Amino acid sequence: ACEAPGRGVPAQVQGAPRAPPGQRPRGDAHGDEDAAVPGGEEPAHEAAIGGPHDDESGVVGLEDAIERLDAAAKGSAARARPFPHTLLTGPPGTGKTMLARGVAARTGGRLVHRIGPAVARVADVAALLLNLRPNDVLFLDEIHAIPPAALELLYDAMQEGPVPFTLLAATTKEARLDEALISRFGLHVA
């Protein structure tokens, strides 16, 4: 595919909607949002992914996932590299969105959250990619609902996107994902 000059995005999607200069893209009717994840008392890159590990924290049963994600965050920071693209799998209600928020907080990146059905066109993916800032965390929940043609645009971006970013994808239906997509994730957390 032809690429837009200097962007790493196929030329056929150059006309994809973008936010006006100096403004962030807005959410849509599906409750999606672009939000900076605020840091707490300590710098965001020092925060733990799941917070305290007690019964009131909401992370019971996620200790292994939190440990793996925290170790990946520490390793990425030590190498001055972005957090690895990560596939989060599991049944509904098992904490995938909470983990994504924790990764964004831990890495100091802005969380850009979209739900798969709201990303139905190649132009939707292109707009997301073109509006990413360095070190953003793009969280695509229900990635299995994104059409294959739109997902293909992510393949190149995951290798050499317009800016360094982290893709966190969540699914309850891993079997519906193409092996080409799954192979691009550096970390798989079930």
Side-chain angles (χ1 to χ4, degrees):
C2 295
E3 291 189 359
R7 288 291 194 174
V9 176
Q12 70 264 28
V13 294
Q14 282 182 323
R18 293 190 70 181
Q23 291 184 11
R24 290 188 1 210
R26 307 305 295 181
D28 64 84
H30 297 281
D32 300 330
E33 61 188 40
D34 292 345
V37 177
E41 293 294 314
E42 55 190 349
H45 64 278
E46 294 297 325
I49 292 209
H53 298 252
D54 58 34
D55 287 342
E56 286 89 52
S57 71
V59 298
V60 174
L62 292 177
E63 293 86 356
D64 291 340
I66 290 168
E67 265 185 53
R68 290 185 63 207
L69 293 168
D70 222 18
K74 288 175 185 172
S76 297
R79 293 185 313 277
R81 306 265 306 153
F83 191 87
H85 300 302
T86 303
L87 180 61
L88 304 170
T89 61
T94 55
K96 295 179 294 293
T97 300
M98 183 197 65
L99 291 173
R101 288 182 181 132
V103 167
R106 175 70 161 85
T107 61
R110 179 179 66 129
L111 180 65
V112 180
H113 180 192
R114 292 290 183 272
I115 297 176
V119 187
R121 302 172 303 139
V122 172
D124 296 334
V125 174
L128 283 171
L129 294 173
L130 290 172
N131 283 294
L132 289 176
R133 300 177 194 158
N135 302 312
D136 276 354
V137 176
L138 174 58
F139 177 48
L140 296 178
D141 199 358
E142 298 180 31
I143 193 169
H144 58 269
I146 300 175
L151 285 175
E152 286 182 26
L153 189 55
L154 284 174
Y155 295 176
D156 288 336
M158 290 172 77
Q159 301 299 324
E160 296 180 28
V163 297
F165 77 101
T166 295
L167 173 63
L168 295 181
T171 184
T172 57
K173 300 175 181 175
E174 184 178 3
R176 288 182 48 189
L177 297 179
D178 185 86
E179 188 57 41
L181 176 64
I182 292 172
S183 69
R184 285 173 168 79
F185 290 100
L187 188 58
H188 183 174
V189 177

